[in-house]
Amino acid sequence: MEANQTLVTEFFLKGVTERPELRVPLFLVFFFIYVITMVGNLGLMLLIWKDSHLHTPMYYFLGSLAFADACTSSSVTPKMLMNLLTRNHMIFRLECFFQYYFFCYSATSEILLLMMMAYDRYVAICNPLLYLVVMSNRRCTWMISVCYVIGFLHPLIHVGLLFRLTFCKSNVIDHFYCEILPLFTISCTDPSINALVAFVFATVIQEFSFISIIISYTRVLFAILKKRSESGRSKAFSTCSAHLLSVTLFFGTLFFMYVRPGTGPDKYQDKMYSLFYTIIIPLLNPFIYSLRNKEVLGALSKVMK
């Protein structure tokens, strides 16, 4: 496509690989991962809804996190699977922007939910006598709603700014979904404002949430160490370790993608980071939170019987 002659209305997604012999094996791998992801997350949501013993703030947050994970995976995987099996990798401009919006919505909601979950554990372990008062069902619903409202509003800013960009140099996105950073590289309009806004919002949201989580868990750690009961310490560590593992995986990859200094890693590494937080983390989360959780395993055994 020649520059300055025709404005781009469609983009070409390069995908995960350009090697034809890898397309079918990768399709099978990612299709299997997607099925397990959806079964795990939707199954966890159904389990929490069905079992009245799990109708507590911690599990309401966990169910909301499962929903966000399902949305994150669904925003990326179906289109990627389609592109692995077909030669037509085109995506309309509006469809591309909508895909990014859907991904950003679920990712932002998940970041905030992880922060709320850390606060929930802080109250439960550091102020157990006040837990039912502080974390009432009404307040829990309000906190979850705030996460999703901010998740809904945040990507509107970035998608709105995408409409100021024109694309005429190239329509090739070197990625497997419509990620915002590769869009900047093929823009004919100076994307400096877009890049600055993306960096500022990513830094503020991620670092504020991460610092809040660190503060909550620092206090939790000191509270756990003061416990005299060995079983109490073990239960508290078990609950918190699953959450900390999820936080480390999620924030680590997002930080390297959006808040890293300098030019960052090459495009191959960018794709690997993106694969990790869009496909692998949503797969792992329901198992991270369930396999060592006696309440969830107990509820699952009841359903199986």
Side-chain angles (χ1 to χ4, degrees):
M1 185 172 295
E2 293 181 12
N4 301 323
Q5 288 190 356
T6 307
L7 293 179
V8 169
T9 58
E10 291 181 296
F11 297 111
F12 179 88
L13 291 171
K14 275 192 172 182
V16 180
T17 181
E18 296 180 67
R19 297 173 60 182
E21 69 274 13
L22 293 179
R23 292 187 181 279
V24 173
L26 285 176
F27 172 85
L28 295 174
V29 169
F30 288 125
F31 177 76
F32 180 73
I33 289 175
Y34 183 61
V35 170
I36 298 299
T37 299
M38 298 308 290
V39 169
N41 285 292
L42 297 181
L44 184 58
M45 291 168 59
L46 181 63
L47 199 63
I48 292 170
W49 177 66
K50 289 278 288 182
D51 196 311
S52 58
H53 294 95
L54 302 181
H55 292 178
T56 62
M58 183 178 86
Y59 292 106
Y60 289 146
F61 284 121
L62 188 54
S64 300
L65 185 71
F67 176 74
D69 278 330
C71 289
T72 299
S73 185
S74 297
S75 68
V76 172
T77 310
K79 184 66 176 177
M80 183 184 70
L81 292 174
M82 191 186 307
N83 288 345
L84 282 170
L85 286 187
T86 63
R87 294 183 179 181
N88 182 17
H89 293 189
M90 303 304 293
I91 182 170
F92 288 109
R93 186 167 174 258
L94 285 177
E95 185 186 355
C96 178
F97 292 175
F98 179 76
Q99 185 187 44
Y100 174 72
Y101 173 87
F102 193 40
F103 160 72
C104 189
Y105 157 73
S106 54
T108 302
S109 300
E110 182 159 351
I111 290 171
L112 298 175
L113 283 168
L114 289 171
M115 179 179 69
M116 298 298 186
M117 290 171 73
Y119 177 73
D120 173 72
R121 291 300 83 203
Y122 158 71
V123 177
I125 294 172
C126 297
N127 298 290
L129 298 179
L130 297 176
Y131 180 69
L132 293 178
V133 177
V134 176
M135 296 300 295
S136 62
N137 285 342
R138 183 177 179 181
R139 179 167 293 184
C140 179
T141 302
W142 179 82
M143 291 168 72
I144 292 172
S145 300
V146 167
C147 293
Y148 282 115
V149 168
I150 295 175
F152 174 82
L153 295 175
H154 173 227
L156 287 177
I157 298 168
H158 303 299
V159 173
L161 285 172
L162 282 176
F163 280 100
R164 66 177 286 273
L165 303 181
T166 55
F167 303 92
C168 56
K169 293 185 294 186
S170 171
N171 69 337
V172 178
I173 299 176
D174 191 4
H175 220 288
F176 59 90
Y177 75 102
C178 280
E179 222 289 315
I180 195 170
L181 300 181
L183 283 172
F184 294 163
T185 65
I186 62 172
S187 171
C188 295
T189 311
D190 182 8
S192 299
I193 294 175
N194 300 63
L196 177 62
V197 171
F199 175 78
V200 169
F201 273 89
T203 303
V204 170
I205 292 174
Q206 291 178 39
E207 293 197 0
F208 174 76
S209 301
F210 187 71
I211 290 170
S212 299
I213 291 170
I214 293 299
I215 291 172
S216 295
Y217 274 107
T218 300
R219 293 181 176 181
V220 165
L221 179 62
F222 282 114
I224 290 174
L225 294 175
K226 289 179 182 178
K227 287 181 180 290
R228 295 182 179 180
S229 168
E230 183 67 30
S231 61
R233 283 200 301 268
S234 176
K235 184 177 180 181
F237 269 122
S238 178
T239 304
C240 296
S241 61
H243 187 225
L244 281 174
L245 176 59
S246 178
V247 166
T248 302
L249 293 174
F250 189 75
F251 277 89
T253 50
L254 282 182
F255 180 84
F256 280 111
M257 276 296 295
Y258 296 105
V259 192
R260 62 177 182 257
T263 56
D266 59 28
K267 293 175 182 178
Y268 175 78
Q269 287 177 300
D270 277 346
K271 288 183 183 181
M272 292 302 102
Y273 289 137
S274 296
L275 277 173
F276 200 75
Y277 69 72
T278 59
I279 294 176
I280 304 303
I281 290 177
L283 168 71
L284 295 177
N285 272 346
F287 299 101
I288 290 174
Y289 285 105
S290 302
L291 291 179
R292 296 181 63 188
N293 189 305
K294 292 181 180 179
E295 286 84 1
V296 173
L297 292 176
L300 182 61
S301 65
K302 289 180 185 178
V303 172
M304 297 297 288
K305 291 177 181 178

